[in-house]
């Protein structure tokens, strides 16, 4: 079968295609140097070098492909405009190159097609035929009648490759073909580098393979010299971060590591500490270790155990293992050889972490800090900080040869209802925990949305915003109906203003009530942060403020504090475009600005933040979301804030968003709730309140 390679680069993607009967006979590459190298590698292929957007170049590709009877197309468009490593600008021209591949498919009608790119391609919008559309939806729309289409985010580590690399793969098979094309089954046996290349001779100066020693005639002499200064016999890693779901043997692993450090390192007077947030948690790993010792007579005879003090002493070296809790965080003087930190995400603060890890092992030759935990729900914690470092090292953004990261869990884009994802996240599924137990927990979470976050956190090891999620984000995303600011010009609307602090996010949200029964409540949010601290906030909060700014979803004001005068001017300009009837505001900290807005001719309405005022519109927001009577355009900043909401409930069943309990910012959500209240009460024509006619929603 003859094939065409678009955006071919130097031909890496087609290296092994000949093994499955595909012969690439036509190719296209933009850059001359790459095209030259491609011709060197594939001399029999007609490489057409040039810009595919050039009409003559594109025509040459199509004409030559028809002449060579091309029946297969491989297309790997540039990824820079979609990659999370770049700016992800929505209008990056490189994102639109996929349309040339689509047009080539339409023109050539090949039997099979493979499209490959970064996983964000599946979530990237482009304009096509005067319509805003997701790339995968475009492919379905244009080619779905003629082709069977399969789409998947593939991680290479599940296909026999000793590398973690996620790519979006789209497979197309023409419907008249008898041979289907589908993704092969994932193999959850991860091939390590040791398995892949472990048979190669060691590069260690202490060469263990005797058959290779003849290559180094001075081996014995240099071996003795090297031993005087070598640290190769010491462990490379002094910090290990293991993040894994519950019931996967964390306690057993931690206990085994603790005993190894105590007994097998032969460290004189070794001090090994098991740390946790409280005494009960600290006791868990210690009790498991004690049980292991009791089951080994040889080890038991060398150990002195003081169960009441949660201490065991290893007599041959004078070492000890002791369980500690967070209440010793103010103590110092530890000379640690090993630290076992159990459930790091439960630490109330970083005091104990700093005491045990910052310098406590400097007097030891090879201390080990073993951090083991399940994912948490506080992204301002020490565990989240270490989690981010682990991800940075895994993804290659940071390099630390002494830090060993291991994270088992579902990716953010994974389907939490899929049993394959459960297996991926739980390496000990079917051994330490049965599939039936996980399935039962899932069914409970599916029937009770309040349990969803708990299932994701504990069973799938996903970091969540809060233990109990209020807003079901799939329902919120279903309300991402387009909101055209220009089409709303002149419409009646109501504003919600949440100033927060001068160094934080300021939110102003306009809500437009529906003009008829088929219309929706339209939400138009605006956000501001100080210009000077945006980079600091990105590093500190691990939130894409800089990306949102580039995309136009977030604005900055000059200086290191929010310039309220700038916002007042901006609102004044909005008032010239829209019919802003009222602006609701939180009384706290907004006195001066509201006075200024009144002087500009706006009607400002103080809005209480207690249960009485907040409960009705908060419940109404949920109702409108579930009924898809809300349109918010998928604004990413507002979505992030909605996902952050923690809801408090009083004995009477009233609810409100709690800024203190919410782990991250919710200013935009609060502003939306206030604006929605005024929009519902006042509407377009009447001042009659829906609460007066229908009553309060209680659920």
């Amino acid at each position: 079968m003859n094939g065409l390679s678009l955006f071919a680069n130097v031909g890496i993607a087609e290296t092994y295609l000949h093994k499955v009967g595909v012969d690439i006979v036509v190719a296209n590459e933009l850059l001359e140097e790459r095209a030259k190298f491609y011709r060197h590698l594939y001399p029999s292929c007609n490489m057409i070098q040039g810009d595919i957007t050039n009409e003559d170049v594109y025509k040459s590709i199509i004409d030559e492909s028809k002449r060579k009877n091309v029946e297969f197309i491989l297309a790997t468009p540039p990824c820079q405009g979609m990659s999370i490593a770049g700016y992800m600008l929505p209008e990056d021209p490189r994102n639109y190159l996929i349309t040339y591949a689509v047009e080539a498919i339409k023109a050539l009608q090949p039997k099979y097609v493979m499209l490959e790119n970064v996983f964000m391609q599946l979530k990237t919008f482009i304009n096509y035929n005067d319509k805003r559309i997701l790339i995968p939806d475009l492919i379905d729309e244009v080619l779905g009648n003629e082709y069977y289409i399969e789409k998947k985010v593939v991680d290479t580590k599940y296909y026999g490759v000793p590398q973690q690399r996620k790519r979006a793969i789209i497979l197309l098979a023409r419907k008249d073909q008898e041979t289907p094309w589908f993704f092969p089954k994932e193999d959850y046996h991860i091939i390590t580098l040791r398995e892949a290349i472990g048979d190669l001779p060691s590069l260690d100066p202490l060469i263990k393979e005797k058959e290779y020693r003849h290559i180094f005639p001075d081996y014995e002499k240099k071996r003795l010299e090297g031993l005087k200064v070598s640290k190769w016999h010491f462990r490379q890693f002094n910090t290990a971060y293991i993040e894994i779901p519950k019931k996967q043997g964390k306690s057993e692993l931690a206990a085994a590591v603790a005993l190894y450090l105590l007994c097998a390192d032969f460290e004189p007077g070794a001090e090994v500490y098991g740390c946790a947030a409280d005494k009960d948690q600290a006791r868990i790993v210690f009790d498991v270790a004690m049980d292991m010792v009791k089951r080994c007579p040889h080890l038991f005879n060398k150990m002195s155990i003081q169960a009441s003090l949660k201490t065991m002493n290893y007599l041959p070296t004078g070492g000890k293992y002791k369980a500690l809790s967070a209440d010793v965080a103010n103590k110092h003087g530890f000379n640690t050889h090993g630290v076992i930190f159990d459930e790091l995400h439960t630490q109330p603060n970083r005091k104990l972490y700093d005491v045990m890890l910052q310098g406590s092992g400097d007097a030891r030759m090879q201390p080990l800090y073993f951090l083991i935990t399940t994912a948490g729900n506080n992204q301002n914690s020490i565990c989240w900080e270490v989690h981010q470092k682990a991800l940075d090292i895994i993804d290659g953004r940071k390099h630390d040869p002494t830090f060993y990261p291991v994270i088992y869990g579902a990716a953010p884009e994974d389907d939490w209802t899929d049993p394959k994802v459960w297996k991926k996240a739980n390496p000990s599924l079917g051994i330490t925990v049965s599939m039936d137990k996980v399935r039962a927990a899932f069914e409970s979470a599916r029937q009770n949305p309040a349990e969803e976050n708990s299932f994701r956190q504990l069973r799938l090891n996903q970091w969540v915003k809060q233990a109990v999620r209020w807003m079901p984000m799939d329902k919120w995303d279903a309300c991402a109906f387009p909101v055209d600011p220009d089409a709303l010009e002149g419409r009646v609307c109501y504003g919600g203003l949440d100033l927060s602090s001068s160094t934080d996010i300021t939110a102003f949200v306009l809500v437009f009530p529906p003009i008829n029964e088929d219309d929706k409540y339209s939400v138009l949010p605006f956000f501001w942060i100080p210009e000077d601290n945006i980079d600091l906030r990105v590093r500190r909060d691990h939130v894409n403020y800089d990306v949102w700014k580039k995309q136009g979803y977030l604005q900055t004001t000059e200086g290191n504090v929010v310039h309220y005068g700038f916002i007042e001017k901006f609102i004044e300009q909005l008032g010239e475009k829209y019919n802003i009837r009222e602006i609701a505001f939180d009384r706290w900290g907004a006195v001066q600005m509201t006075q200024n807005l009144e002087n500009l001719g706006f009607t400002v309405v103080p809005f209480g933040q207690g249960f009485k005022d907040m409960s009705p519109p908060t419940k109404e927001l949920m109702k409108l979301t579930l009924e898809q009577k809300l349109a918010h355009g998928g604004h990413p900043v507002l979505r992030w804030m909605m996902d952050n909401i923690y809801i408090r409930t009083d004995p009477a069943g009233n609810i409100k968003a709690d800024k203190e309990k919410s782990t991250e910012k919710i200013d935009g959500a609060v502003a939306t709730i206030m604006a929605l209240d005024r929009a519902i009460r006042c509407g377009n024509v009447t001042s009659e309140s829906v609460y007066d006619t229908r009553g309060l929603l209680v659920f």
Side-chain angles (χ1 to χ4, degrees), residues 461-581:
N461 201 50
Q462 288 183 319
W463 280 79
V464 296
K465 303 292 185 176
Q466 58 280 110
V468 178
R469 168 180 278 166
W470 178 68
M471 176 61 72
M473 297 311 295
D474 59 330
K475 304 298 184 184
W476 177 261
D477 293 339
C479 294
F481 303 106
V483 178
D484 186 354
D486 295 331
L488 296 170
E489 187 170 352
R491 285 268 302 271
V492 168
C493 60
Y494 300 84
L497 178 64
D498 194 324
L499 294 181
S500 191
S501 70
S502 60
T503 60
D504 220 326
I505 299 176
T506 290
F508 181 68
V509 179
L510 291 176
V511 174
F512 297 77
I515 56 178
N516 53 53
E517 292 184 356
D518 297 327
D519 198 13
K520 306 178 188 297
Y521 284 88
S522 297
V523 180
L524 195 60
F526 305 92
F527 302 94
W528 298 268
I529 61 173
E531 173 71 36
D532 289 357
N533 61 21
I534 186 171
D535 293 335
L536 173 64
R537 293 174 65 93
V538 170
R539 294 193 301 270
R540 184 192 67 193
D541 303 341
H542 302 285
V543 177
N544 298 326
Y545 299 111
D546 53 344
V547 175
W548 289 337
K549 178 189 174 184
K550 290 183 177 75
Q551 295 174 339
Y553 296 118
L554 182 75
Q555 300 182 59
T556 58
T557 65
E558 187 177 351
N560 57 8
V561 297
V562 175
H563 194 299
Y564 289 159
F566 177 89
I567 297 174
E568 292 166 9
K569 185 67 176 177
F570 187 89
I571 295 175
E572 183 183 14
Q573 293 171 354
L574 289 177
E576 297 173 358
K577 186 174 183 179
Y578 308 114
N579 185 1
I580 304 176
R581 291 276 185 89

Side-chain angles (χ1 to χ4, degrees), residues 34-300:
R34 293 176 181 174
K36 183 179 179 182
F37 191 52
Y38 189 102
R39 293 188 184 102
H40 174 74
L41 296 176
Y42 305 96
S44 63
C45 177
N46 185 359
M47 162 56 72
I48 301 173
Q49 187 264 316
D51 189 349
I52 196 173
T53 65
N54 181 283
E55 185 176 345
D56 292 335
V57 173
Y58 178 79
K59 186 176 183 301
S60 297
I61 296 169
I62 300 301
D63 291 345
E64 182 66 7
S65 297
K66 288 181 177 179
R67 192 179 71 83
K68 294 281 184 75
N69 191 28
V70 162
E71 296 178 308
F72 177 91
I73 292 180
L74 170 67
T76 57
C79 66
Q80 294 92 332
M82 315 172 206
S83 174
I84 59 175
Y87 293 121
M88 301 177 69
L89 299 177
E91 301 303 325
D92 192 310
R94 291 169 292 191
N95 295 349
Y96 293 80
L97 292 174
I98 185 66
T99 62
Y100 288 88
V102 171
E103 295 299 323
I105 296 168
K106 289 170 58 179
L108 298 173
Q109 291 291 301
K111 294 178 179 179
Y112 300 97
V113 180
M114 184 172 79
L115 307 174
E116 181 270 347
N117 216 301
V118 293
F119 70 87
M120 283 301 297
Q121 185 189 52
L122 302 183
K123 299 180 180 181
T124 299
F125 284 89
I126 61 172
N127 292 320
Y128 185 80
N129 289 342
D130 300 320
K131 181 169 67 174
R132 194 75 171 164
I133 189 170
L134 280 169
I135 289 176
D137 292 345
L138 162 67
I139 294 169
D140 287 341
E141 182 178 301
V142 177
L143 302 171
N145 290 333
E146 292 82 26
Y147 288 87
Y148 296 113
I149 303 174
E150 296 284 338
K151 300 181 283 287
K152 186 176 182 179
V153 175
V154 171
D155 194 332
T156 57
K157 69 180 181 182
Y158 299 124
Y159 293 89
V161 179
Q163 179 190 33
Q164 181 174 308
R165 186 174 178 85
K166 294 181 180 179
R167 311 298 289 182
I169 305 292
I170 303 177
L171 304 178
L172 293 85
R174 209 168 67 195
K175 291 183 177 180
D176 62 353
Q177 297 305 300
E178 295 181 357
T179 304
W181 200 9
F182 50 85
F183 290 93
K185 185 178 179 181
E186 292 178 325
D187 184 0
Y188 290 100
H189 171 69
I190 308 299
I191 296 179
T192 65
L193 281 177
R194 183 179 296 278
E195 290 177 279
I197 60 173
D199 58 332
L200 297 177
S202 176
L203 296 178
D204 189 331
L206 307 180
I207 300 172
K208 300 176 179 64
E209 296 87 357
K210 293 182 179 180
E211 62 267 34
Y212 295 107
R213 290 186 181 180
H214 70 277
I215 304 174
F216 308 92
D218 297 327
Y219 169 75
E220 285 297 333
K221 177 183 177 182
K222 293 186 176 181
R223 181 182 72 85
L224 295 174
E225 292 175 353
L227 280 175
K228 297 177 182 178
V229 295
S230 174
K231 295 185 178 180
W232 282 63
H233 55 291
F234 299 136
R235 62 173 59 93
Q236 174 185 343
F237 303 104
N238 60 32
T239 304
Y241 178 78
I242 315 298
E243 190 180 289
I244 198 168
K246 65 181 294 188
K247 302 302 180 183
Q248 299 300 300
K250 291 196 303 296
S251 299
E252 290 75 11
L253 175 59
V257 170
L259 292 175
Y260 183 92
L261 293 171
L262 179 63
C263 308
D265 268 352
F266 307 106
E267 180 76 13
E271 296 180 19
V272 181
Y273 297 100
C275 301
D278 54 58
K279 293 180 179 179
D280 290 336
Q281 186 67 47
R283 187 178 297 123
I284 293 174
V285 175
F286 180 88
D287 288 346
V288 173
M290 183 172 64
D291 186 59
M292 289 178 175
V293 171
K294 291 179 177 179
R295 291 172 180 268
C296 178
H298 182 75
L299 186 57
F300 183 70

